[in-house]
Amino acid sequence: MLKTHGIVGLLISATLGLSGCMSNSYQAFIKPGASVDRTNQDQVACSVEANKLFPAANFPQTTPYGNVGYYGGGWGWGVGIVHTTDVNSGMRNQHRAQCMQLKGYKPVSFPICTQQQLAGRSYAPLTRAPAQSDNICAIKIDGGGRALVDITKPL
């Protein structure tokens, strides 16, 4: 759809990571007057700090499934599923959010733009933090991620 070098706010990983499904809102950090570049720089700084303080701590766990049965030469249990759990992810996400708030950002939820709102028109991503309004929503951008647009200002 649109290419951009950054987005007004970045996803709050904890919110999206826990949802596990398509969300109808976009979580961003907004600071009045902050540019996309400044917001991205602050987000990176907070993420680096959080990763240093709370590094990934993945622990493998096996969840057995199946029943006792005959498996190609002997009786036994079915195969298990191995997955990992990062026990520090919650603390990392919380630290990122607190770091951004200490830098003057406020977490804000914006709706995802509907097809009816877009009506086939193109929009330029906002380059400055917007005030929350019914005209602001998030679109998907090329390369992944989201950008905020003002639906009253099509290209």
Side-chain angles (χ1 to χ4, degrees):
M1 200 176 238
L2 294 174
K3 289 193 177 202
T4 183
H5 295 290
I7 51 180
V8 172
L10 295 174
L11 299 175
I12 298 175
S13 301
T15 303
L16 295 178
L18 294 175
S19 68
C21 60
M22 293 295 291
S23 176
N24 61 355
S25 66
Y26 170 72
Q27 306 296 315
F29 283 106
I30 299 297
K31 181 178 181 178
S35 70
V36 170
D37 290 338
R38 176 81 257 158
T39 301
N40 288 339
Q41 290 169 3
D42 288 342
Q43 179 68 39
V44 167
C46 288
S47 290
V48 167
E49 183 177 288
N51 289 336
K52 284 181 181 177
L53 291 172
F54 304 102
N58 293 306
F59 294 98
Q61 297 175 336
T62 302
T63 304
Y65 73 92
N67 293 318
V68 174
Y70 189 78
Y71 296 98
W75 288 89
W77 283 96
V79 181
I81 298 172
V82 177
H83 58 89
T84 61
T85 301
D86 180 358
V87 297
N88 284 345
S89 66
M91 291 182 288
R92 252 191 330 275
N93 292 331
Q94 182 179 14
H95 185 81
R96 275 189 209 106
Q98 289 173 340
C99 176
M100 289 297 283
Q101 289 173 7
L102 287 172
K103 291 179 181 287
Y105 292 86
K106 177 183 170 192
V108 179
S109 179
F110 292 93
I112 302 298
C113 300
T114 65
Q115 292 300 323
Q116 294 79 17
Q117 287 173 314
L118 299 176
R121 296 180 295 250
S122 294
Y123 295 87
L126 298 175
T127 58
R128 293 248 174 236
Q132 202 165 11
S133 110
D134 291 339
N135 298 331
I136 307 298
C137 59
I139 60 170
K140 288 184 182 179
I141 56 174
D142 289 344
R146 301 243 180 224
L148 297 175
V149 297
D150 183 339
I151 58 174
T152 64
K153 299 177 182 177
L155 295 178

